[in-house]
């Protein structure tokens, strides 16, 4: 117990130290007027700007707007994508009909959909939901297909031998067996979703962390840009942590012990 | 113990007798076809432990898939108590080479899987599971997940998952492969005792000659590509089996005879370039060398 604790403090110290070094380097770069980097704002200015931001309601409003967009698009992608992936993974016939179209659209980067999305959907908000949806949709589907395919045939055979019918195989073997891949798909999808959201907000959004960062740019407010970037990073991190948390809940057999 | 076995097994339908009759299995590829099994005919006798041996690639696993009903023979037929085998059934259960436990279920849920999907009443299911878990010594571990168990425990959990369904025949496909030497020996001891107590029909596929003779009442030896039945050997060592018998004169005799037969096939497989055959030849050559030195 004591060793674990000691190790923990050591790694915390290392993390803290590396952060200090990073900030010191940042300061140094500006101080020494390194070409191109000299226009960076001082860490202290960013910190002041950040402190100001967290006290304003506008800042938190942007958080809320971005989060709602992320979770709406992401959730719809999972609700449609997971059953679709299972169906493609299970049925050869269904795969034959749907997979070619799917594979044709999948390589198109979600950001390339922005012009069409803006023209197609009646409101900007809907087009952002749609783009966020695309960002995680293809990834979840492909991962579910793979997850179903990776379940060893011996497990299906064993279940059949033990008297399982088709619905037992589906609910007790295929669904839990592909859960790890579903989680991978969600984790990767969440990352891509944030990229897409920020791009979409910068181009088409009203409010949101991406938009706020873009507006800071148009105002040449250097410290605010960096506050925006850090906020986006933190938001993405929190979303991934949430997915990890949920996946631990649904996959007790994967827990560390 | 041996007496019990006879009484409960003989003349009853509780345990199964499997007849494999002229079974051939051919796989068609685009323009060629390969015959994996050819005209296999033998019996897996009621209430006895039959071990199948042969070099890698002789179609042992295919034969298991056919008996289990996962695949169907190209020609010929397999019968369990005179009823043709057409599909998988809880009467014929397989313990697989690599663990086929459901990793997302606890040991307990794995064990009751068969009972649950067959709709057994909850109370009976619980009683049976507790009994069988105690038999295999996993009662304390019933709430663990397979990944939290050692290799030997996983194998016992798999045995329990099959045994709870009271199958007419248990089919084991190299079940102790990959276990370390000591665990393997303990599992052999455990398994042979389980068999001697239950007297169920068992069909055991293995690479290891000592394991096969130690466990079995009868050895069936297969040829290499296409797989045919080369020989059947009665193992008339007394039961209950003890590890001391591995040093007995009779054991050595049977082993030497089996090695002669296997050596030819292993050499053929080796010539055909099978990697695991290489290992088998190596092992057999070592054993031959040893027994010749003894003489």
């Amino acid at each position: 117990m004591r060793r674990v604790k000691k190790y923990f403090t050591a790694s915390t110290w290392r993390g803290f130290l590396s952060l200090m070094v990073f900030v010191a380097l940042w300061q140094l770069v500006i101080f020494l007027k390194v070409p191109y980097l000299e226009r960076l704002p001082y860490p202290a200015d960013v910190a002041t700007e950040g402190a100001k931001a967290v006290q304003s309601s506008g800042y938190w409003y942007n958080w809320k707007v971005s989060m709602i967009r992320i979770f709406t698009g992401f959730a719809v992608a999972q609700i449609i994508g997971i059953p679709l992936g299972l169906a493609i993974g299970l049925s050869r016939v269904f795969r034959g009909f749907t997979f070619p179209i799917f594979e044709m659209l999948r390589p198109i980067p979600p950001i390339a959909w922005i012009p069409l999305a803006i023209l197609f959907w009646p409101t900007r908000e809907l087009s952002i939901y749609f783009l966020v949806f695309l960002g995680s949709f293809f990834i979840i589907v492909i991962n579910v297909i793979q997850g179903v395919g990776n379940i060893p045939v011996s497990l299906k055979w064993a279940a059949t031998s033990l008297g399982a019918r088709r619905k037992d195989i589906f609910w007790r073997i295929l669904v839990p067996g592909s859960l790890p891949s579903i989680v991978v798909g969600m984790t990767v999808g969440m990352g891509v979703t944030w990229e897409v959201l920020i791009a979409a907000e910068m181009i088409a959004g009203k409010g949101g962390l991406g938009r706020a960062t873009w507006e800071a740019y148009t105002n040449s407010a250097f410290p605010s840009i960096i506050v925006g970037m850090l906020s986006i990073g933190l938001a993405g991190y929190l979303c991934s942590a949430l997915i990890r948390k949920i996946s631990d809940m649904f996959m007790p057999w994967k827990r560390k012990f | 113990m041996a007496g019990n076995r006879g009484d409960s097994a003989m003349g009853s339908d509780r345990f199964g007798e499997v007849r494999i009759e002229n079974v051939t299995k051919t796989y068609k590829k685009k323009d060629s076809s390969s015959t994996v099994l050819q005209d296999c005919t033998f019996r897996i006798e009621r209430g006895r432990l039959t071990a199948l041996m042969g070099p890698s690639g002789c179609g042992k696993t295919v034969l298991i898939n056919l008996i289990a009903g996962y695949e169907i023979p190209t020609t010929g037929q397999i019968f369990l108590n005179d009823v043709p085998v057409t599909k998988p059934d809880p009467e014929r259960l397989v313990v697989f080479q690599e663990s086929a436990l459901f990793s997302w279920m606890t040991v307990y849920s794995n064990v009751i899987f068969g009972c649950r999907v067959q709709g057994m009443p909850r109370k009976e299911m619980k009683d049976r599971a507790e009994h069988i878990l105690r038999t295999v010594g996993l009662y304390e571990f019933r709430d663990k997940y397979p990944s939290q168990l050692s290799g030997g425990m996983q194998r016992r959990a798999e045995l329990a998952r099959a045994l709870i369904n009271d199958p007419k025949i248990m089919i084991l496909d190299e079940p102790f492969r990959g276990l370390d030497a000591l665990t393997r020996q303990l599992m052999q001891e455990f398994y042979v005792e389980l068999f001697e107590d239950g007297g169920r029909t068992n069909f055991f596929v293995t690479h290891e000659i000592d394991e096969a003779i130690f466990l079995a009442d009868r050895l069936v030896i297969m040829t290499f590509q296409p797989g045919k039945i080369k020989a059947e050997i009665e193992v008339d060592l007394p039961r209950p089996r003890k590890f001391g018998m591995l040093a007995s004169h009779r054991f050595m005799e049977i082993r030497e005879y089996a090695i002669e037969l296997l050596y030819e096939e292993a050499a053929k497989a080796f010539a055909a370039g099978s990697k695991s055959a290489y290992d088998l030849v190596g092992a057999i050559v070592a054993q031959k060398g040893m027994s010749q030195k003894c003489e």
Side-chain angles (χ1 to χ4, degrees):
Chain A
M1 195 62 214
R2 202 170 162 179
R3 269 187 68 192
V4 171
K5 206 175 168 188
K6 202 174 167 190
Y7 178 75
F8 177 73
T9 42
S11 79
T12 314
W13 267 108
R14 272 180 228 127
F16 186 67
L17 197 72
S18 78
L19 206 66
M20 297 308 288
V21 171
F22 178 76
V23 172
L25 276 175
W26 176 358
Q27 186 89 26
L28 199 69
V29 154
I30 304 165
F31 187 72
L32 294 176
K33 298 207 190 309
V34 174
Y36 303 114
L37 294 177
E38 61 191 302
R39 289 185 60 205
L40 276 174
Y42 281 106
D45 293 345
V46 174
T48 322
E49 190 57 40
K52 239 195 294 175
V54 295
Q55 286 165 32
S56 71
S57 60
Y59 176 75
W60 294 112
Y61 173 75
N62 287 331
W63 267 82
K64 199 180 100 185
V65 168
S66 287
M67 284 294 186
I68 290 173
R69 285 169 179 161
I70 284 283
F71 279 102
T72 310
F74 186 78
V76 175
Q78 309 311 310
I79 291 166
I80 301 177
I82 294 173
L84 183 69
L86 287 171
I88 295 178
L90 289 179
S91 160
R92 209 177 274 261
V93 178
F94 190 70
R95 187 190 181 105
F97 279 118
T98 53
F99 203 56
I101 306 170
F102 181 81
E103 278 300 274
M104 201 178 73
L105 296 179
R106 191 169 67 97
I108 302 172
I111 294 171
W113 285 81
I114 291 178
L116 187 70
I118 292 174
L119 290 176
F120 187 72
W121 294 94
T123 68
R124 289 280 168 107
E125 206 55 25
L126 276 175
S127 64
I128 291 177
Y129 288 159
F130 176 68
L131 291 164
V132 169
F133 163 83
L134 283 178
S136 49
F137 174 71
F138 290 106
I139 294 171
I140 190 70
V141 173
I142 213 79
N143 271 282
V144 176
I145 295 174
Q146 243 163 33
V148 173
N150 285 344
I151 298 172
V153 70
S154 60
L155 294 189
K156 286 176 231 168
W157 279 352
T160 315
S161 269
L162 292 164
R165 286 148 299 174
R166 285 183 74 111
K167 76 169 209 299
D168 299 314
I169 303 257
F170 181 80
W171 288 110
R172 296 177 196 271
I173 309 296
L174 296 171
V175 171
S178 50
L179 251 178
S181 302
I182 293 178
V183 168
V184 170
M186 283 187 172
T187 311
V188 179
M190 186 50 98
V192 174
T193 289
W194 270 101
E195 285 174 29
V196 176
L197 174 76
I198 298 307
E201 281 181 348
M202 284 183 173
I203 295 170
K206 219 196 245 162
L209 290 170
R211 191 69 204 172
T213 308
W214 188 255
E215 276 166 6
Y217 157 74
T218 53
N219 297 334
S220 301
F222 246 126
S224 293
I225 294 178
I226 293 180
V227 169
M229 286 166 64
L230 291 175
S231 308
I232 292 165
L234 181 66
Y237 171 80
L238 289 176
C239 288
S240 301
L242 184 70
I243 288 181
R244 264 202 301 277
K245 197 102 198 146
I246 293 172
S247 76
D248 275 359
M249 226 164 65
F250 279 96
M251 298 194 297
W253 67 95
K254 289 269 176 187
R255 257 180 226 152
K256 301 267 188 299
F257 35 80
Chain B
M1 247 184 273
N4 275 341
R5 210 154 62 78
D7 295 342
S8 60
M10 290 303 159
S12 78
D13 256 12
R14 192 176 154 213
F15 299 134
E17 171 145 315
V18 173
R19 277 189 293 131
I20 289 110
E21 288 192 348
N22 299 314
V23 165
T24 298
K25 181 72 184 172
T26 309
Y27 289 98
K28 285 206 174 69
K29 287 174 195 152
K30 270 173 199 137
D31 34 38
S32 66
S33 69
S34 63
T35 301
V36 181
L37 295 173
Q38 196 172 38
D39 292 323
C40 288
T41 300
F42 68 101
R43 291 195 315 161
I44 302 170
E45 291 169 4
R46 193 189 310 281
R48 302 187 81 198
L49 202 162
T50 305
L52 180 75
M53 287 201 71
S56 273
C58 73
K60 291 179 302 230
T61 300
V62 172
L63 189 56
I64 283 177
N65 290 347
L66 295 174
I67 299 173
Y70 302 139
E71 300 180 65
I72 49 168
T74 312
T75 61
Q77 240 178 344
I78 296 174
F79 300 91
L80 173 68
N81 292 344
D82 299 319
V83 182
V85 168
T86 52
K87 58 175 176 41
D89 192 288
E91 288 185 335
R92 292 168 267 114
L93 289 180
V94 182
V95 174
F96 287 93
Q97 216 170 71
E98 69 285 357
S99 173
L101 289 170
F102 307 127
S103 60
W104 48 90
M105 295 182 196
T106 60
V107 170
Y108 183 79
S109 300
N110 262 289
V111 169
I112 61 167
F113 183 88
C115 303
R116 186 180 266 168
V117 295
Q118 290 168 48
M120 184 186 281
R122 205 158 267 276
K123 176 81 178 70
E124 190 188 348
M125 190 160 78
K126 194 163 169 277
D127 291 345
R128 273 211 206 187
E130 277 180 18
H131 173 74
I132 208 92
L133 281 167
R134 282 187 206 281
T135 310
V136 300
L138 286 177
Y139 186 70
E140 313 294 321
F141 297 88
R142 61 193 182 282
D143 294 327
K144 299 271 185 214
Y145 288 97
S147 60
Q148 294 168 298
L149 302 181
S150 70
M153 286 163 139
Q154 289 181 3
R155 287 314 144 87
R156 278 185 278 156
E158 225 167 325
L159 282 172
R161 185 175 71 179
L163 282 172
I164 195 173
N165 297 285
D166 200 15
K168 294 205 161 116
I169 174 172
M170 286 269 288
I171 306 162
L172 301 100
D173 187 2
E174 300 196 39
F176 307 145
R177 188 185 199 169
L179 299 177
D180 62 86
L182 183 63
T183 311
R184 188 175 186 130
Q185 190 169 340
L186 290 170
M187 280 304 293
Q188 286 166 355
E189 218 165 9
F190 169 79
Y191 168 72
V192 84
E193 227 172 89
L194 199 68
F195 166 73
E196 282 163 0
D197 286 349
R200 193 180 307 276
T201 309
N202 270 237
F203 185 54
F204 193 104
V205 172
T206 178
H207 253 109
E208 288 253 320
I209 194 156
D210 287 353
E211 178 174 85
I213 301 171
F214 174 66
L215 298 173
D217 294 306
R218 222 155 56 88
L219 292 183
V220 176
I221 292 176
M222 276 179 86
T223 62
F224 179 74
Q225 278 176 7
K228 295 183 200 168
I229 304 306
K230 184 176 176 101
E232 297 180 41
I233 307 171
E234 283 289 322
V235 181
D236 48 8
L237 296 169
R239 288 195 186 272
R241 297 276 164 87
K242 294 279 170 247
F243 269 109
M245 290 174 190
L246 262 68
S248 72
H249 182 66
R250 185 67 190 135
F251 184 92
M252 289 297 181
E253 271 179 4
I254 296 170
R255 191 171 85 151
E256 218 154 296
Y257 180 48
I259 283 175
E260 285 300 327
L261 293 168
L262 274 167
Y263 182 74
E264 286 175 29
E265 297 311 317
K268 263 193 271 173
F270 178 56
S274 157
K275 163 72 181 88
S276 33
Y278 175 83
D279 300 336
L280 186 64
V281 170
I284 288 175
V285 167
Q287 284 177 344
K288 273 183 84 141
M290 265 173 55
S291 51
Q292 266 155 19
K293 241 180 258 169
C294 291
E295 279 161 20

